[in-house]
Amino acid sequence: TQSLDLFKAIHSRRTTYRLPSSETLTLEIERFLSADNIHLGVMSCRIQTTSECELEVRTKITSDIWDINGPHLRDFAPHEQGSCQCLQSLTIEKGIPVSVASDIAASSQWEIETESSQSAHVLRLTSEADKSYSICKYISIYSGEDTPDPTSRAMNTASQARDLGYEQICAAHEAVWSERWSRSDVVIKGDEESQFALRYSIYHLLIAAPTKNGL
């Protein structure tokens, strides 16, 4: 199942996989791009199995990007700072640096490794039946048009977000969207289908052209 909260701009997904043993693994993901900080994205993940399992989660910043009009980035270079991973590249047209960084916070049961050559985090644990395990990933993107040192800014932003935590970042994000809807909502009485269609269109207009201050 998937859902999109138009008022909070948060996407949720819940998927249940059947394992070869006929047991199941349920994956719940909630994610958003922060309206409070346009350089930041956050993804919260919860995993639960119906039997004991050896779990391995590998999450990375990939350079294998498919572009309909050809590649736009070149000269990929990985960087590492503590638990934070970063992949820097240059735009083909103008050579502008673009850096994507990610940092991870997870429940204490996870064993976390980093692979700097792959800009990856690898998490492992032995799960207990019907117990939930959480992972939160913080992603930051900067370019040379934002700052002279996009790699450092991206890595610092991702790590600072990890320290702040999901709840605090989400609250700031929701506050911005609450203010946006207070200025943008249009109410239609007596026609729920048209009301939803209109709000869905307003939502897309609001996300199409974000501003630097998040408003």
Side-chain angles (χ1 to χ4, degrees), residues 41-44 59-61 102-105 135-139:
V42 184
M43 180 173 67
S44 173
T59 175
K60 72 175 188 175
I61 309 166
S102 71
D103 211 337
I104 293 284
I135 302 170
C136 197
K137 183 172 183 177
Y138 303 90
I139 307 103

Side-chain angles (χ1 to χ4, degrees), residues 8-210:
K8 297 179 180 179
I10 296 176
H11 178 269
S12 301
R13 169 187 168 185
R14 186 178 191 273
T15 308
T16 298
Y17 301 92
R18 186 169 298 281
L19 306 177
S21 62
S22 295
E23 301 289 347
T24 61
L25 180 149
T26 298
L27 180 66
E28 295 181 280
I29 295 176
E30 189 173 273
R31 61 187 180 184
F32 62 90
L33 297 175
S34 173
D36 182 59
N37 181 348
I38 63 171
H39 298 279
L40 180 65
V42 184
M43 180 173 67
S44 173
C45 174
R46 291 175 296 279
I47 301 174
Q48 186 174 19
T49 61
T50 54
S51 66
E52 182 178 298
C53 292
E54 296 296 326
L55 296 179
E56 179 177 292
V57 176
R58 181 179 297 268
T59 175
K60 72 175 188 175
I61 309 166
T62 181
S63 60
D64 184 15
I65 304 167
W66 183 84
D67 298 303
I68 192 169
N69 295 316
H72 299 295
L73 300 172
R74 58 178 171 86
D75 299 342
F76 293 94
H79 298 268
E80 185 174 18
Q81 177 179 289
S83 62
C84 187
Q85 298 291 315
C86 184
L87 189 63
Q88 179 180 302
S89 61
L90 299 175
T91 62
I92 289 177
E93 293 85 355
K94 296 184 178 181
I96 297 172
V98 177
S99 294
V100 179
S102 71
D103 211 337
I104 293 284
S107 50
S108 59
Q109 297 91 342
W110 290 99
E111 174 188 334
I112 305 176
E113 299 177 2
T114 58
E115 294 181 354
S116 58
S117 62
Q118 298 291 319
S119 300
H121 293 90
V122 183
L123 301 92
R124 299 182 180 90
L125 63 72
T126 301
S127 69
E128 298 179 24
D130 301 321
K131 186 174 181 179
S132 181
Y133 301 91
S134 64
I135 302 170
C136 197
K137 183 172 183 177
Y138 303 90
I139 307 103
S140 180
I141 305 173
Y142 281 86
S143 78
E145 295 188 338
D146 301 312
T147 174
D149 189 355
T151 295
S152 293
R153 286 292 299 277
M155 296 179 85
N156 289 339
T157 297
S159 295
Q160 289 167 5
R162 179 206 61 207
D163 294 339
L164 282 174
Y166 182 89
E167 298 299 331
Q168 188 169 338
I169 295 170
C170 188
H173 165 76
E174 291 180 9
V176 173
W177 270 96
S178 177
E179 197 281 332
R180 285 179 176 178
W181 278 110
S182 72
R183 294 183 288 108
S184 307
D185 196 16
V186 178
V187 177
I188 298 176
K189 294 183 178 180
D191 189 339
E192 293 185 4
E193 184 176 352
S194 295
Q195 177 71 89
F196 173 77
L198 179 57
R199 283 175 171 163
Y200 188 66
S201 297
I202 292 171
Y203 168 81
H204 279 280
L205 289 172
L206 291 172
I207 67 171

